[in-house]
Amino acid sequence: MEKREELYRGKAKSVYTTDDADRLILLFRNDTSAFDGKRIEQLDRKGMVNNKFNAFIMQKLEEAGIPTQFDKLLGDNECLVKKLEMIPVECVVRNYAAGSLVKRLGIEEGTKLNPYTFELFLKDDAKGDPFINESHVVAFGWGTAEQLVRMKELSLKVNEVLSKLFDDAGLLLVDFKLEFGVFHGQIVLGDEFSPDGCRLWDKETRKKMDKDRFRQGLGDVIEAYEEVAKRLGVPL
Ligand code: TMP
Ligand code: ASP
C-alpha cells in the first residue's frame, strides 16, 4: 500500500492517504502530549510500542466481534486502517475513580465504581475536551441517537473483553477512552487503544502503568508501557 500525502497531523499520530480511497495509514510518532496538547515531549520507542500494542488489542477486540478500524501492521510505527468518518466525541468508561472524575466530584482515587460509568466528552482541545451528554451530541449534529446507542454498546463490550484480558495479566483496567467513526454506514471503533488513552494499575501494588506516569512526572513512562506489553504477550 502506497503512502501518499499527510491528511491530518494529530498530537501523537499522523494520518496519510493511500492509493485506496477506503484505507489510511496511521503513523505512531514518539510525541507524547498531556493537558490538551499544552505539554508535548518526545519519548524514545513510544511510537513503536503504541503501534504494536494497538495492533494486539484491536485484533483481540475483532476476535470478540467488535468492528475496528484496524487492518494490519505495516512496520514498527505504521499500520493500515479503514478510512472512517470520525464522530468528534470521546467515550470514557470507568471501573475505578481516577483523573477528571476525582477532580470533578471529589471521589477518592481508586474507589471501585459499581456499576462502571459511561461518559461523553467533546473532542476539542481548544475548548479543553468539555464534558457533554447525549442530548448535546444529537442537538449539535455530532452523532445520531442510534449511533450513540451503538457506541455505548460497543464501549461496554470493549470494557468486558479488556477488563478480563488485563486482569489475566495482573492489571486493573481503571478507565479508558474510545473514539468511533462510520465506515460504509456502520459504527466502527477507531483511533487507538494504548496506555496513552487508558489507565492501568498493577493489581497488587496499584502502581500506575499508563500515561499518568507522564502527566504526573513519575518517570519510566515507556518502561511501564513495555512492562504492560510484556505481561500481555504483545510482540515488540
Ligand atoms: P479523564 O479522567 O481525564 O477524564 O480521562 C479518562 C480516560 O480517558 C483516561 O484513561 C485518559 C483518557 N483520555 C484520553 O485518552 N484523551 C483525552 O483527551 C482525555 C480527556 C482522556
Ligand atoms: N490526550 C490529551 C492531550 O494530549 C489529554 C491527555 O491525555 O492528558 O492533551
Side-chain angles (χ1 to χ4, degrees), residues 11 33-39 125 129 196 211 215:
K11 294 191 293 284
S33 90
F35 314 114
D36 301 320
K38 288 186 199 79
R39 193 169 139 219
D125 280 337
D129 286 353
D196 269 8
K211 201 164 86 172
R215 295 188 189 98

Side-chain angles (χ1 to χ4, degrees), residues 134-148:
E134 300 188 5
S135 70
H136 296 118
V137 175
V138 178
F140 299 117
W142 297 316
T144 66
E146 294 72 29
Q147 287 173 335
L148 276 169

Side-chain angles (χ1 to χ4, degrees), residues 148-172:
L148 276 169
V149 168
R150 183 68 175 145
M151 285 157 66
K152 181 170 180 184
E153 178 188 36
L154 290 174
S155 297
L156 300 183
K157 177 81 180 161
V158 168
N159 192 34
E160 215 178 282
V161 173
L162 295 188
S163 290
K164 165 91 172 67
L165 188 83
F166 287 114
D167 184 71
D168 290 345
L171 294 160
L172 287 181

Side-chain angles (χ1 to χ4, degrees), residues 52-92:
K52 294 185 177 175
F53 196 99
N54 176 62
F56 180 88
I57 297 288
M58 291 293 169
Q59 280 160 5
K60 292 284 179 199
L61 295 177
E62 285 278 353
E63 283 165 23
I66 295 157
T68 80
Q69 177 182 35
F70 181 79
D71 271 354
K72 62 175 180 183
L73 273 175
L74 294 176
D76 276 357
N77 289 68
E78 291 182 348
C79 66
L80 185 70
V81 298
K82 298 171 193 77
K83 181 177 182 177
L84 311 186
E85 199 167 314
M86 295 303 292
I87 293 177
V89 170
E90 302 186 338
C91 296
V92 170

Side-chain angles (χ1 to χ4, degrees), residues 90-131:
E90 302 186 338
C91 296
V92 170
V93 179
R94 300 180 195 268
N95 298 307
Y96 293 84
S100 70
L101 181 77
V102 166
K103 273 204 207 117
R104 200 172 343 113
L105 300 180
I107 309 290
E108 192 185 345
E109 184 180 71
T111 306
K112 172 100 180 105
L113 304 172
N114 196 11
Y116 52 75
T117 63
F118 179 73
E119 299 171 355
L120 301 173
F121 295 84
L122 178 64
K123 190 174 167 67
D124 187 335
D125 280 337
K127 295 190 174 75
D129 286 353
F131 190 53

